[in-house]
Amino acid sequence: MRILIATAGSRGDVAPYTGLGAALRDAGHEVALAATASFAPLAEEAGLEFRPLLADPRAHGDVQGKSALLRAAAAFTTDLGEGFADAVDKGTDLLLLSTTTAPLGWHVTEATGIPSMGVYLQPTAPTGDFAPTVMGARSLGRFGNRAAGRFALRMTDRVYGPAVARLRERLQLPTLTATQMRLRRDQAGWPVLHGFSSALVPRPSDWKAALTVTGSWWPYLDAGRRLPAGLEDFLAAGPPPVLVGFGSMAAGHGERLSELAVHALRRAGLRGVLQSGSAGLVADGDDVLTIGDVPHGLLFPRLAAVVHHAGAGTTAAAARAGIPSVTVPVAADQPFWAARLAAIGAAPAPAPFRSLTADRLTSALTTAVREPSYARAATAAARHMATEDAAGSVVTAVRRLAR
């Protein structure tokens, strides 16, 4: 089959699909990845065709407040919808749609007749088991959790409303709201495979049969890839260090976070690696090293712990490596994933970004690294994750659809 995987967002919203795409390619399919233009190198490294989506999540600037966030999200999805149909050619046999692209892809499916499946990195369907991921970690009770889940979907549909209207007009389809299309998909039992591990989030007990949990999909990693020589030298020069990194979060806070991190590491008696990321972390010294982007799969197993923003991908990578986390959630679904690590015992209680201090980080680091229970819990999660054939489950689902 000729398969198009469509996703949009930050690096964490794109990178897992490179490994999934490579697995589908190795199974004999032709695979293309559609994402915003900055991620072309990720697709090319994995040997996948790349198709740019003409939108930029950074174009609408840093925003504060819920109303401003909703406006920025609506502007981004409208930009995304403008070029979405262009990424789908007539030879495409199957669309695999992420959480961010499904509300647009459904309409392309209607217009073209191309079948589709969901490949989501987050649980979005309402459930009584937990509150929506975008609403943090506090349970509202089974009835409240389901009600909040439905409200979260209505808010998502509100964000996508303008983009859907323009896309349907371009596709010469009759008027249909985002909410009405979502209801159609749900009633049809549209299949969604979820790329997270049941070690972190067990499959909700009240989900419909069409919603499955496969395990985590991992970014593509070439068999010959190695860590930079300077990093290898640092790792060999002493005990396993702690990585501090915030991915695409915390832009503009680099100086404060760097000073805070180095101070906490030294007070805890730990060596450190600072991953610059969007924050621009940087530090000097024999006991600390600054690095750029390196594969989590190569570095994490050689660490004592990792301080991170609790994005879905970094959360899964830390658990897969069997190392404790110290979570500093910033926004979106990060408080949810931070709470999940704490719930399974692989991390102390989260230290939210807005209230992070050197004292709090020092205490959390000391607890996570010196108390053996956190490493034991992370190791148990890693063993569970090793039994999940996540990409293979998607390959099997595609094979069934092709029959």
Short mmCIF file of all heavy atoms in Angstrom, two decimals, residues 319-361:
data_model
loop_
_atom_site.label_atom_id
_atom_site.label_comp_id
_atom_site.label_asym_id
_atom_site.label_seq_id
_atom_site.Cartn_x
_atom_site.Cartn_y
_atom_site.Cartn_z
N ALA A 319 11.05 5.96 30.83
CA ALA A 319 10.53 4.69 31.35
C ALA A 319 11.15 3.51 30.60
O ALA A 319 11.52 2.50 31.22
CB ALA A 319 9.01 4.67 31.23
N ARG A 320 11.28 3.63 29.30
CA ARG A 320 11.87 2.56 28.49
C ARG A 320 13.31 2.27 28.92
O ARG A 320 13.75 1.12 28.93
CB ARG A 320 11.85 2.97 27.02
CG ARG A 320 12.41 1.93 26.05
CD ARG A 320 12.66 2.57 24.71
NE ARG A 320 12.89 1.61 23.65
CZ ARG A 320 13.30 1.93 22.44
NH1 ARG A 320 13.54 3.20 22.13
NH2 ARG A 320 13.49 1.00 21.52
N ALA A 321 14.05 3.32 29.31
CA ALA A 321 15.43 3.17 29.73
C ALA A 321 15.56 2.64 31.15
O ALA A 321 16.66 2.31 31.60
CB ALA A 321 16.16 4.50 29.60
N GLY A 322 14.44 2.62 31.89
CA GLY A 322 14.48 2.12 33.25
C GLY A 322 15.16 3.05 34.23
O GLY A 322 15.76 2.61 35.21
N ILE A 323 15.08 4.37 33.97
CA ILE A 323 15.73 5.35 34.86
C ILE A 323 14.68 6.26 35.49
O ILE A 323 13.65 6.54 34.88
CB ILE A 323 16.78 6.19 34.12
CG1 ILE A 323 16.15 6.93 32.92
CG2 ILE A 323 17.95 5.32 33.67
CD1 ILE A 323 17.09 7.94 32.27
N PRO A 324 14.93 6.74 36.71
CA PRO A 324 13.98 7.65 37.36
C PRO A 324 13.90 8.98 36.61
O PRO A 324 14.84 9.40 35.94
CB PRO A 324 14.58 7.85 38.76
CG PRO A 324 15.54 6.73 38.94
CD PRO A 324 16.06 6.40 37.58
N SER A 325 12.77 9.64 36.79
CA SER A 325 12.55 10.98 36.23
C SER A 325 12.33 11.98 37.35
O SER A 325 11.83 11.63 38.43
CB SER A 325 11.32 10.99 35.33
OG SER A 325 11.54 10.30 34.12
N VAL A 326 12.71 13.22 37.08
CA VAL A 326 12.26 14.37 37.85
C VAL A 326 11.51 15.24 36.86
O VAL A 326 12.10 15.75 35.90
CB VAL A 326 13.43 15.14 38.48
CG1 VAL A 326 12.93 16.45 39.11
CG2 VAL A 326 14.13 14.28 39.52
N THR A 327 10.21 15.37 37.04
CA THR A 327 9.38 16.03 36.02
C THR A 327 9.10 17.48 36.40
O THR A 327 8.80 17.80 37.55
CB THR A 327 8.06 15.28 35.83
OG1 THR A 327 7.37 15.18 37.08
CG2 THR A 327 8.33 13.88 35.29
N VAL A 328 9.20 18.34 35.37
CA VAL A 328 8.94 19.77 35.51
C VAL A 328 7.95 20.15 34.40
O VAL A 328 8.33 20.74 33.38
CB VAL A 328 10.24 20.59 35.40
CG1 VAL A 328 9.98 22.07 35.67
CG2 VAL A 328 11.30 20.07 36.35
N PRO A 329 6.68 19.78 34.56
CA PRO A 329 5.71 20.03 33.48
C PRO A 329 5.48 21.51 33.25
O PRO A 329 5.47 22.31 34.20
CB PRO A 329 4.44 19.34 33.99
CG PRO A 329 4.61 19.25 35.47
CD PRO A 329 6.08 19.11 35.71
N VAL A 330 5.32 21.86 31.97
CA VAL A 330 5.14 23.26 31.59
C VAL A 330 3.71 23.54 31.17
O VAL A 330 3.08 24.49 31.65
CB VAL A 330 6.12 23.64 30.46
CG1 VAL A 330 5.95 25.11 30.06
CG2 VAL A 330 7.56 23.36 30.87
N ALA A 331 3.17 22.72 30.25
CA ALA A 331 1.85 23.04 29.69
C ALA A 331 1.24 21.80 29.04
O ALA A 331 1.83 20.72 29.04
CB ALA A 331 2.00 24.15 28.64
N ALA A 332 0.04 22.00 28.48
CA ALA A 332 -0.67 21.00 27.68
C ALA A 332 -0.83 19.68 28.44
O ALA A 332 -1.31 19.68 29.57
CB ALA A 332 0.04 20.81 26.34
N ASP A 333 -0.42 18.55 27.83
CA ASP A 333 -0.62 17.25 28.46
C ASP A 333 0.52 16.87 29.40
O ASP A 333 0.53 15.77 29.96
CB ASP A 333 -0.79 16.17 27.39
CG ASP A 333 0.42 16.05 26.46
OD1 ASP A 333 1.24 16.99 26.42
OD2 ASP A 333 0.53 15.03 25.76
N GLN A 334 1.49 17.75 29.60
CA GLN A 334 2.66 17.41 30.40
C GLN A 334 2.34 17.13 31.87
O GLN A 334 2.89 16.18 32.44
CB GLN A 334 3.72 18.51 30.25
CG GLN A 334 4.27 18.60 28.84
CD GLN A 334 4.94 19.92 28.54
OE1 GLN A 334 5.33 20.67 29.44
NE2 GLN A 334 5.07 20.24 27.24
N PRO A 335 1.44 17.87 32.54
CA PRO A 335 1.09 17.49 33.91
C PRO A 335 0.49 16.09 33.99
O PRO A 335 0.72 15.38 34.98
CB PRO A 335 0.06 18.56 34.31
CG PRO A 335 0.43 19.76 33.49
CD PRO A 335 0.86 19.18 32.17
N PHE A 336 -0.24 15.67 32.96
CA PHE A 336 -0.82 14.33 32.95
C PHE A 336 0.28 13.27 32.94
O PHE A 336 0.26 12.34 33.75
CB PHE A 336 -1.72 14.17 31.72
CG PHE A 336 -2.25 12.78 31.52
CD1 PHE A 336 -3.38 12.35 32.19
CD2 PHE A 336 -1.62 11.89 30.66
CE1 PHE A 336 -3.88 11.07 32.01
CE2 PHE A 336 -2.09 10.60 30.47
CZ PHE A 336 -3.24 10.19 31.15
N TRP A 337 1.25 13.41 32.04
CA TRP A 337 2.32 12.41 31.94
C TRP A 337 3.21 12.44 33.17
O TRP A 337 3.69 11.39 33.64
CB TRP A 337 3.12 12.62 30.66
CG TRP A 337 2.32 12.37 29.43
CD1 TRP A 337 1.91 13.29 28.52
CD2 TRP A 337 1.80 11.12 28.98
NE1 TRP A 337 1.17 12.69 27.53
CE2 TRP A 337 1.08 11.36 27.78
CE3 TRP A 337 1.87 9.81 29.47
CZ2 TRP A 337 0.44 10.34 27.07
CZ3 TRP A 337 1.22 8.79 28.76
CH2 TRP A 337 0.52 9.07 27.59
N ALA A 338 3.45 13.62 33.72
CA ALA A 338 4.23 13.72 34.95
C ALA A 338 3.55 12.97 36.09
O ALA A 338 4.20 12.24 36.86
CB ALA A 338 4.42 15.19 35.33
N ALA A 339 2.23 13.12 36.17
CA ALA A 339 1.48 12.41 37.21
C ALA A 339 1.51 10.91 37.00
O ALA A 339 1.52 10.13 37.97
CB ALA A 339 0.04 12.92 37.24
N ARG A 340 1.53 10.47 35.74
CA ARG A 340 1.57 9.03 35.48
C ARG A 340 2.89 8.43 35.94
O ARG A 340 2.93 7.34 36.50
CB ARG A 340 1.36 8.76 33.98
CG ARG A 340 -0.02 9.07 33.44
CD ARG A 340 -1.12 8.49 34.31
NE ARG A 340 -0.90 7.05 34.51
CZ ARG A 340 -1.43 6.36 35.52
NH1 ARG A 340 -2.17 6.97 36.42
NH2 ARG A 340 -1.21 5.06 35.64
N LEU A 341 4.01 9.13 35.70
CA LEU A 341 5.30 8.63 36.18
C LEU A 341 5.32 8.56 37.71
O LEU A 341 5.83 7.60 38.29
CB LEU A 341 6.43 9.54 35.69
CG LEU A 341 6.86 9.36 34.24
CD1 LEU A 341 7.85 10.43 33.84
CD2 LEU A 341 7.46 7.97 34.00
N ALA A 342 4.74 9.58 38.36
CA ALA A 342 4.69 9.55 39.82
C ALA A 342 3.79 8.43 40.31
O ALA A 342 4.09 7.76 41.31
CB ALA A 342 4.20 10.90 40.35
N ALA A 343 2.69 8.17 39.60
CA ALA A 343 1.74 7.15 40.03
C ALA A 343 2.34 5.75 39.99
O ALA A 343 1.99 4.90 40.82
CB ALA A 343 0.49 7.21 39.16
N ILE A 344 3.22 5.48 39.03
CA ILE A 344 3.83 4.15 38.97
C ILE A 344 5.10 4.08 39.81
O ILE A 344 5.75 3.03 39.86
CB ILE A 344 4.13 3.72 37.52
CG1 ILE A 344 5.21 4.59 36.89
CG2 ILE A 344 2.84 3.72 36.68
CD1 ILE A 344 5.70 4.07 35.54
N GLY A 345 5.46 5.19 40.46
CA GLY A 345 6.61 5.19 41.34
C GLY A 345 7.94 5.43 40.68
O GLY A 345 8.99 5.27 41.30
N ALA A 346 7.94 5.87 39.40
CA ALA A 346 9.19 6.09 38.66
C ALA A 346 9.67 7.53 38.75
O ALA A 346 10.69 7.88 38.14
CB ALA A 346 9.01 5.70 37.20
N ALA A 347 8.96 8.37 39.50
CA ALA A 347 9.34 9.78 39.66
C ALA A 347 8.74 10.30 40.96
O ALA A 347 7.65 9.87 41.35
CB ALA A 347 8.85 10.62 38.49
N PRO A 348 9.44 11.23 41.62
CA PRO A 348 8.80 11.92 42.75
C PRO A 348 7.65 12.79 42.25
O PRO A 348 7.40 12.89 41.05
CB PRO A 348 9.94 12.79 43.31
CG PRO A 348 11.19 12.32 42.67
CD PRO A 348 10.80 11.70 41.37
N ALA A 349 6.96 13.43 43.17
CA ALA A 349 5.88 14.34 42.79
C ALA A 349 6.40 15.40 41.83
O ALA A 349 7.53 15.88 41.98
CB ALA A 349 5.28 15.00 44.03
N PRO A 350 5.62 15.77 40.82
CA PRO A 350 6.08 16.77 39.84
C PRO A 350 6.44 18.09 40.51
O PRO A 350 5.86 18.48 41.53
CB PRO A 350 4.88 16.93 38.91
CG PRO A 350 4.09 15.66 39.07
CD PRO A 350 4.27 15.24 40.49
N ALA A 351 7.40 18.80 39.90
CA ALA A 351 7.78 20.15 40.31
C ALA A 351 7.38 21.09 39.17
O ALA A 351 8.15 21.28 38.23
CB ALA A 351 9.28 20.24 40.58
N PRO A 352 6.18 21.64 39.19
CA PRO A 352 5.70 22.46 38.06
C PRO A 352 6.67 23.58 37.71
O PRO A 352 7.31 24.18 38.59
CB PRO A 352 4.37 23.01 38.57
CG PRO A 352 3.91 22.00 39.58
CD PRO A 352 5.16 21.53 40.25
N PHE A 353 6.76 23.85 36.43
CA PHE A 353 7.74 24.82 35.92
C PHE A 353 7.64 26.18 36.61
O PHE A 353 8.63 26.78 36.97
CB PHE A 353 7.54 24.96 34.41
CG PHE A 353 8.45 25.97 33.76
CD1 PHE A 353 9.78 25.67 33.52
CD2 PHE A 353 7.97 27.21 33.38
CE1 PHE A 353 10.63 26.59 32.93
CE2 PHE A 353 8.80 28.14 32.78
CZ PHE A 353 10.13 27.83 32.56
N ARG A 354 6.42 26.65 36.80
CA ARG A 354 6.22 28.00 37.34
C ARG A 354 6.69 28.12 38.79
O ARG A 354 6.95 29.22 39.26
CB ARG A 354 4.75 28.40 37.23
CG ARG A 354 4.28 28.59 35.79
CD ARG A 354 2.85 29.09 35.72
NE ARG A 354 2.38 29.21 34.36
CZ ARG A 354 2.63 30.25 33.56
NH1 ARG A 354 3.34 31.26 34.02
NH2 ARG A 354 2.16 30.27 32.33
N SER A 355 6.75 26.99 39.51
CA SER A 355 7.16 27.06 40.91
C SER A 355 8.50 26.39 41.17
O SER A 355 8.85 26.10 42.30
CB SER A 355 6.08 26.40 41.80
OG SER A 355 5.86 25.06 41.42
N LEU A 356 9.27 26.15 40.10
CA LEU A 356 10.55 25.47 40.25
C LEU A 356 11.58 26.37 40.92
O LEU A 356 11.77 27.52 40.53
CB LEU A 356 11.07 25.03 38.87
CG LEU A 356 12.35 24.19 38.87
CD1 LEU A 356 12.11 22.84 39.53
CD2 LEU A 356 12.85 24.01 37.44
N THR A 357 12.25 25.83 41.93
CA THR A 357 13.34 26.52 42.60
C THR A 357 14.53 25.57 42.70
O THR A 357 14.38 24.35 42.54
CB THR A 357 12.95 26.95 44.02
OG1 THR A 357 12.68 25.78 44.81
CG2 THR A 357 11.72 27.85 44.01
N ALA A 358 15.69 26.11 42.98
CA ALA A 358 16.88 25.28 43.14
C ALA A 358 16.71 24.32 44.31
O ALA A 358 17.12 23.15 44.23
CB ALA A 358 18.11 26.15 43.34
N ASP A 359 16.11 24.77 45.40
CA ASP A 359 15.90 23.90 46.55
C ASP A 359 14.98 22.74 46.19
O ASP A 359 15.25 21.58 46.57
CB ASP A 359 15.29 24.69 47.72
CG ASP A 359 16.30 25.60 48.39
OD1 ASP A 359 17.51 25.41 48.17
OD2 ASP A 359 15.87 26.51 49.13
N ARG A 360 13.91 23.05 45.49
CA ARG A 360 12.96 21.99 45.14
C ARG A 360 13.59 20.99 44.17
O ARG A 360 13.39 19.78 44.29
CB ARG A 360 11.70 22.61 44.52
CG ARG A 360 10.58 21.61 44.32
CD ARG A 360 9.27 22.30 44.03
NE ARG A 360 8.19 21.34 43.96
CZ ARG A 360 6.91 21.66 43.76
NH1 ARG A 360 6.57 22.93 43.65
NH2 ARG A 360 5.98 20.72 43.70
N LEU A 361 14.36 21.49 43.21
CA LEU A 361 15.00 20.59 42.26
C LEU A 361 16.07 19.74 42.96
O LEU A 361 16.21 18.55 42.68
CB LEU A 361 15.61 21.39 41.11
CG LEU A 361 16.26 20.57 39.99
CD1 LEU A 361 15.27 19.57 39.40
CD2 LEU A 361 16.81 21.49 38.91
#
